[in-house]
Amino acid sequence: MAVTLASRRTARRLAADAGLLVVAAAFVLPLAWVVLSSLDPHADLRVKTPDGLTLDNFDAILTPEITFTPLLNSLILCGSATLLTVVCAALAAYPLSRFRSRFNRPFLLTILFATSLPITAIMVPVYALFVRVDLIDTMQGTIFFFAASQLPYAIWLMKNFMDGVPKELEEAAWTDGASSLQSLIRIVLPLMGPGVAVVTVFSFVMMWGNFFVPFMLLLTPDQMPASVSINDFFGNRGMVAYGQLAAFSVVYSTPVILLYVLIARRLGGGFALGGAVKG
């Protein structure tokens, strides 16, 4: 009986390991294709060892028109929109976290509903509105829409992290004459550093990979971000420069990886509350 039970546990463990390996392969194979094809002079859709290592694919794409200008546009769009999103989310989440009202739950449910709306369903009225207010084909208009589209998620995340900061710390600051805004900036946000980092990374990554919004709202080629210009590697009649596409994908992914590496400590550091509320 004990042997049978042990064999069942072993079989379940092996099945779980096999399932995890399949999931890992589903993520690793595309990444392996990108890295290997970027160094392959004869890259195609197969994951294979390069016929010969070369940097010609990177030399072909590292030009202002193909890479540098679109990447700069992406950094301007996503960086500005992320900053605007984090600031607005902190200001919106603070009263939701600190003050009790019968309107809190309806408001949270409303913004939760806003997150479920498909972006394609709202782009037509948004496009018409942007034409009327002269925001179409402008960087600032795209930044505003990026921030507005990510704000519901950011408010939910920010409020949940803010709930973990004891209110007693703010009350002590209020006793010393600090205002609510000062306590938010000097006490709450520094203590919930990992939460701010999560919201920042999440918002930036979601905007960085967004193709549809800048494709619809920006018309001038010189303003297109890298998420749109990557479409240029797909030529006519099915001809695709796979090596250059893979090299561009490597360069395109670098800012997101660097952002994560820079704030990885904040993500894993936990809340710096320590013994602030003891005694």
Side-chain angles (χ1 to χ4, degrees), residues 24 28 87 103 241:
V28 170
V87 172
F103 298 108

Side-chain angles (χ1 to χ4, degrees), residues 48-67:
K48 60 184 179 68
T49 303
D51 298 333
L53 298 179
T54 180
L55 295 177
D56 291 343
N57 294 322
F58 288 95
D59 291 336
I61 67 162
L62 292 178
T63 63
E65 296 80 9
I66 298 177
T67 300

Side-chain angles (χ1 to χ4, degrees), residues 97-190:
S97 174
R98 288 299 185 256
F99 304 108
R100 297 291 176 259
S101 171
R102 62 179 180 177
F103 298 108
N104 283 10
R105 181 175 175 81
F107 178 79
L108 289 172
L109 293 178
T110 300
I111 62 175
L112 179 62
F113 171 76
T115 64
S116 65
L117 293 175
I119 196 69
T120 53
I122 62 176
M123 281 310 298
V124 172
V126 167
Y127 185 89
L129 174 63
F130 273 40
V131 170
R132 282 183 171 273
V133 298
D134 292 329
L135 285 178
I136 199 70
D137 196 26
T138 62
M139 298 287 281
Q140 61 268 26
T142 308
I143 289 171
F144 289 150
F145 185 78
F146 263 149
S149 62
Q150 292 301 318
L151 199 54
Y153 286 109
I155 292 174
W156 268 90
L157 290 174
M158 194 76 76
K159 178 189 178 299
N160 289 334
F161 284 111
M162 201 171 289
D163 288 341
V165 179
K167 191 176 180 180
E168 289 81 0
L169 299 176
E170 289 184 86
E171 293 174 347
W174 294 338
T175 303
D176 294 335
S179 64
S180 297
L181 182 60
Q182 289 175 328
S183 65
L184 170 64
I185 296 174
R186 297 181 181 181
I187 297 176
V188 178
L189 292 181

Side-chain angles (χ1 to χ4, degrees), residues 198-246:
V198 168
V199 174
T200 301
V201 172
F202 178 82
S203 301
F204 186 86
V205 170
M206 294 298 292
M207 298 174 192
W208 187 260
N210 194 308
F211 168 85
F212 190 64
V213 170
F215 180 76
M216 290 291 296
L217 299 182
L218 295 175
L219 307 177
T220 306
D222 292 340
Q223 293 184 333
M224 292 296 180
S227 59
V228 177
S229 65
I230 196 173
N231 188 55
D232 296 338
F233 291 99
F234 295 88
N236 296 325
R237 299 180 181 178
M239 299 297 294
V240 182
Y242 290 108
Q244 296 180 21
L245 174 61

